[in-house]
Amino acid sequence: MQFDKEKSHLSALQKVEFEESTTKASSVQTIPGIGKRSKEHLEKQNIKTIDDLLTEIQDNFTTLVTLTPNVGVNNHKIFDALEGYRCINASNTMGDGDDDESCKPEPLLNSDSTSDATTLAELKKLDACNIQ
């Protein structure tokens, strides 16, 4: 089974709000796509925080699918929401000081933009890690 961003249905705004309001120590229930039932299911596996989940899935969509309940969960949405955290983990584990090219934000097309530039830059940053 492979991750399909099209099946995520997670908006860029939802991603921004999630990333700005959470840390790795936040409850897994703060992840878009994880509700009360999924949280309880994950907690039975000793997965309580975003960091716990990231450690378990090791950037592997199939592993995420095996950890969540079989019915009623949009794993694509969960995996998509974690994209920014996975990029941070990938950069931190490289060990050579170089940033992962796939996690670098794309340059703005029009650098002369006014107040929308910040918002656009933030949204583009979130879409910079393209999972295929």
Side-chain angles (χ1 to χ4, degrees), residues 24 54 58-59 82-105 125 128-131:
K24 286 184 171 184
L54 290 168
Q58 296 290 315
D59 202 24
L82 292 172
E83 181 176 52
Y85 283 110
R86 291 192 327 271
C87 286
I88 291 168
N89 278 353
S91 294
N92 289 342
T93 58
M94 289 185 71
D96 58 6
D98 293 334
D99 290 332
D100 184 353
E101 288 293 325
S102 66
C103 293
K104 290 185 178 177
K125 176 184 172 200
C129 294
N130 294 320
I131 310 291

Side-chain angles (χ1 to χ4, degrees), residues 18 73 108 115:
F18 167 67
V73 177
L108 290 174
S115 63

Side-chain angles (χ1 to χ4, degrees), residues 61-131:
F61 179 72
T62 304
T63 303
L64 173 65
V65 172
T66 64
L67 293 173
T68 56
N70 294 335
V71 180
V73 177
N74 183 342
N75 289 300
H76 300 277
K77 186 175 200 172
I78 297 166
F79 200 73
D80 191 12
L82 292 172
E83 181 176 52
Y85 283 110
R86 291 192 327 271
C87 286
I88 291 168
N89 278 353
S91 294
N92 289 342
T93 58
M94 289 185 71
D96 58 6
D98 293 334
D99 290 332
D100 184 353
E101 288 293 325
S102 66
C103 293
K104 290 185 178 177
E106 297 173 6
L108 290 174
L109 296 176
N110 181 1
S111 60
D112 296 330
S113 299
T114 57
S115 63
D116 288 341
T118 302
T119 304
L120 183 57
E122 289 171 356
L123 296 177
K124 284 191 172 269
K125 176 184 172 200
L126 296 172
D127 290 331
C129 294
N130 294 320
I131 310 291

